[in-house]
Amino acid sequence: MSTTAPRNRPAPEAFAPPAPQLSSRARQSALAVIATSMLMIVLDGSIATVAMPAVQDDLGFTPAGLSWVVNAYLIAFGSLLLLAGRLGDLIGRKPVFLSGIALFTAASLAAGAAGSPAVLIAARFAQGVGSAMSAAVALGILVTLFTEPAERARAIAVFSFTGAAGASIGQVLGGVLTDVLNWHWIFLINLPIGLAVLLVAVRVLPADRGRGLAGGADVAGALLVTGGLMLGIYTVVEVETYGWSSARTLGLGALALALLAGFVLRQTTARTPLMPLRILRSRNVSGANVVQMLMVAALLSFQVVVALHLQKVLGYGAAATGLAMLPAAVAIGAVSLGLSARLSARFGERAVLLTGIALLIAALGLLARVPVRADYVTDLLPVMLLASGFGLALPALTSLGMSGAGADDAGLASGLFNTTQQIGMALGVAVLSTLAAGRTEALTAAGHPSAEALTGGYRLAFTVGAALLATAFAVAFLTLRRKTGHRGPAPATTP
């Protein structure tokens, strides 16, 4: 294999010196720190959902504006993962990880003390930046520490399990803290966890020098993609006020698309692009990212809109809402950890993925017909159990997406997969929450009772979510292929 760099492609950079070998106990301590940081990040992404009605009532958010409590976090997180990972390569993963945890912890304090929508949204954005910095390099630290295949597989399993546990704990903990104390504590709970992670991480994580800033980072590309995504989501959220066909909506939407097009153009000319476009030549990589964006967008409507329906229509408290949604989180975690891999080994990842998506379509199809006076056992519990399809689909989709990446692009494919996951979350919450709010307003204006109008809005969101999943099924069926046997490092995904 030639070591000469191809034309129009930068020469491969030298790898940073390997981290010093640590004892088994030290590696386990480092794994505990990394897993705890992932737990905190995932927990923060789900803990806010059941407390959103209390946040809205206390701070005076509009229905569309309330989605920014989630969107501000997700947009910052999703938009900065690629750049944060690149900075970890340049200046060292440990300093980027520590800086991210410190920023996340400080922003959690600001969010917990927020007395206005603007302060809370700004704090959530800062939390997203800190999360991106720590999550982007956490898996890189892990695979550097655990080099023996079986040991590495066990470490990644622990890492993934904490992600599933964070989603489960967040739903319940958010409700309990909101009911027993108040919504401020859903953010303040991060303070002791963040400080403990920082204190231990300084001691146990191996130091690494990185390649140096001379390698360059595509700051212009990061600004273009971040600006384009943020402007696009803002435009969608404001559609409720200005309408889809207004000059303001069309103008801002066109500007957002122009910024994203500029990002793509930048990647073709930058000396060190944030996302070299060669990665998209693989059908499995490009197809899996499209499927994931559609799938996650639809499933975030489930997580957010179901919580609102339980509280606003059925009158559940925050803690009861968390407990009502716990079967879904437990089912997803149990299936993803205990069943998905065995089924994939027997029937293939593509078949398992398609089966998982089919279960999710059935779940949202049931929700699209949910009655105003829904009974939990007969109308909602079956939906919670069908949500286990996500536990089937995501691991299989991850494996298919990574199978098309060569050794030189495995890390890039992992970062891209995490990024599209977060973008899908942000787009799903923004678009579906806006559609639901618009439908509710129209039904209210037509004289329908409040509960009926709210249910009509939520049904529309679930219907659109089911359509997104049907599209994902079609894309997966037409584009994805069985694994060819290559297996790259698994990205840090959130089941």
Side-chain angles (χ1 to χ4, degrees), residues 7 56 115 137 160 212 225 257 266 312 341 357 361 383 449 457 474 476 495:
R7 185 174 299 178
Q56 182 179 16
V137 298
S160 300
V225 70
L257 290 175
R266 168 71 182 176
K312 293 289 189 179
I357 295 177
I361 292 173
V383 173

Side-chain angles (χ1 to χ4, degrees), residues 17 59 64 121 152 175 247 264 302 356 393 414 426 482:
L59 298 185
I121 290 172
R152 177 181 292 183
V264 174
F302 170 83
S414 177
R482 293 175 66 91

Side-chain angles (χ1 to χ4, degrees), residues 409-444:
D409 292 330
L412 176 61
S414 177
L416 178 62
F417 201 81
N418 279 295
T419 299
T420 56
Q421 184 183 81
Q422 301 306 318
I423 293 171
M425 289 181 182
L427 290 173
V429 171
V431 173
L432 297 176
S433 296
T434 301
L435 290 174
R439 176 64 173 164
T440 296
E441 182 179 343
L443 291 173
T444 301

Side-chain angles (χ1 to χ4, degrees), residues 218-237:
D218 186 16
V219 177
L223 292 174
L224 284 169
V225 70
T226 302
L229 290 170
M230 290 194 66
L231 185 58
I233 296 297
Y234 174 78
T235 303
V236 171
V237 170

Side-chain angles (χ1 to χ4, degrees), residues 448-474:
H448 292 269
S450 176
E452 185 177 328
L454 285 168
T455 302
Y458 299 150
R459 285 174 181 161
L460 175 61
F462 296 134
T463 301
V464 174
L468 290 174
L469 286 171
T471 305
F473 186 97

